[in-house]
Amino acid sequence: MDLKDLYRDVILDHNKKPRNFGKLEPCDTSADGHNPLCGDRLTLTLRIDGDTVSDVRFEGQGCAISTASASLMTEAIKGLDETAITTLSEMVHRALTSSSDAAIPEGLGKLAALAGVREYPARVKCASLCWHTLTAALARRDGSTAVSTE
Amino acid sequence: MNLIDRPLAHYDVERVRQDFPILATTIRGKRLAFLDTAASSQRPNSVIEAIVHYERHLHANVHRGVYELSQKATDAFEAARERVRVFLNARSTREVIFTRGATESINLVAESWGRSLQPGDEILISWMEHHANIVPWQMACERSGAVLRVIPIDRRGELDLAAFHHLLTPKTRLVAITQISNSLGTVVPIAEIIAAAQRNGSLVLVDGAQAVAHQRIDVQALDCDFYVFSSHKLYGPTGVGVLWARETVLSDMPPWQGGGDMIRTVSFEKTTYNELPYRFEAGTPNISGAIGLAAAIDYLESLDIDKVHAHEQALLRYATDALRAIPGLQIIGEAARKGGVISFTLEQVHPHDLGTILDTEGVAVRAGHHCAMPVMDFFGVPATARASFGCYTNREDVDQLIGALHRALEVFG
């Protein structure tokens, strides 16, 4: 297992220069994510147009994996509707938790770079924090439509 | 004599390492550099063999059977208690209670002795306590209306003694304090604290979890009221630990958990309780654990604790100098007197990334908040990486850590 399989250039790049970093004000929905075990914190703010995420930002502090994962996620979900986001989120979770010899799902694009964490079970939570936070933010929207996607 | 300056000629760490079979393990194809002894130490062959011997030849329940095997198990278990008594220089085995570990020992005191707390009473702890010496007191305060006070620390990680003397008032019923900080390595001047508390009429609980395997402990010389430690930080097995308490204090404490062994007679109308120390040991104890702990104490003393201490202090200096030379590395906790614990952060590299990178180089360090979140908040960091030393740690382990840190700088450079 080479370190470069985990810390790929795209992850190091997004850690150093996080995309869509900051806060949308005003926003249509938001959520805070916290991993108490390692202290990673994340706030997501989203603008939603109809059923589609038109803009998203994140801020917070965490390790390279959690920062890069959040940054990559904001790029990937911009312009997607909720159904497409749910599909993508499930694909990411599969990629993060599958066994190391399983094929990485097609269609993940840059997000496939995160699949290296499956060799490091202790780090899966770092990569998935932003996706859990996104689920919470979308479920919270309008208050009345809160649903669990579990 | 200053132990720190004692020559190390007689301490053969390579010989010691041969007693610990796990040190031959490889991690991801690399030599294991185990630098997480402060979280849990490894066990020597003699401890493993003592446990296996007990399980193979001696096991039956203790304090119950009239048959020979039960008597043998009881004898071995009580011999372990006597071994702990001698180790701590306690007056009597009546003062030696086996628990699941230091955490349970503190909870026992907080729940049993804590029942005497009144609204307005104060418990004094320090800013650098492990969560195990914070949360049980918060819970005791919630139950009783007592108030928790915290002795501050300074930027070097030293206890603010002036503040301690100020916080020590007639309301202070107990001072619960660590002997060595698990997150900063600070050696706390507990002699001064105990003397002041005694003059003030307050009891003192010493959390010895990080100290007991690294220096001589004499509870009579310390003259504290409670001393707690875990076996697994002393080269013994997990799931067993000790509460030592002054007998006069223990005699006034109500039983904690109810069950077998802690009673003398039981009827539905009235139950009478057993004598010390059994009154505080409900249920079948961790018999093999206590026997393993006794073997661990034998082992540690066979090495000579003073020599182990000097060896670890020399490593601490060696590692501190080497770490300081790494660009962007900051040591968290620079007290004048430290145990073999170094917490640090590396600029640009989050402690969790550091933990993973070091792991790929075979280096096992703790990365996280070290069950001391208030300490992390004080220093304004979410977490630190921590390297800690034991009797088997050698310079090669430290060199491997330094090499792995340079690798981390390469990856994140």
Side-chain angles (χ1 to χ4, degrees), chain A residues 1-3 6-7 12 15-16 36-38 40 61-65 119-120 123, chain B residues 28 348 350 352-354 356-357 359-361 368-369 373 382-383 407 411-413:
Chain A
M1 177 72 199
D2 190 82
L3 261 184
L6 180 62
Y7 294 107
L12 294 171
N15 175 51
K16 225 172 203 174
L37 220 62
C38 45
D40 290 351
Q61 60 165 349
C63 61
I65 303 296
E119 296 281 349
Y120 298 85
R123 305 301 303 279
Chain B
R28 299 180 191 268
Q348 312 290 350
H350 190 280
H352 290 114
D353 296 312
L354 204 51
T356 297
I357 295 169
D359 178 47
T360 63
E361 298 292 318
H369 54 61
M373 288 187 186
R407 178 90 179 92
V411 172
F412 278 82

Side-chain angles (χ1 to χ4, degrees), chain B residues 143-219:
Chain B
R143 284 191 295 268
S144 64
V147 179
L148 192 65
R149 300 273 182 219
V150 184
I151 310 163
I153 54 176
D154 67 19
R155 296 302 299 177
R156 295 177 61 81
E158 304 269 19
L159 197 70
D160 184 340
L161 277 170
F164 160 69
H165 288 291
H166 186 69
L167 285 163
L168 191 66
T169 73
K171 291 181 184 169
T172 311
R173 291 280 312 280
L174 175 87
V175 182
I177 188 102
T178 188
Q179 193 168 8
I180 296 180
S181 158
N182 75 307
S183 55
L184 300 170
T186 309
V187 175
V188 174
I190 55 167
E192 178 175 344
I193 287 168
I194 293 166
Q198 243 171 21
R199 284 195 300 275
N200 191 56
S202 316
L203 300 185
V204 179
L205 178 144
V206 176
D207 173 1
Q210 292 297 338
V212 76
H214 309 285
Q215 61 187 74
R216 284 179 194 283
I217 306 298
D218 180 334
V219 290

Side-chain angles (χ1 to χ4, degrees), chain B residues 38 51 136 193 221 242 254 298 340 350 361 397:
Chain B
I51 294 168
I193 287 168
V242 167
D298 283 341
H350 190 280
E361 298 292 318
D397 294 330

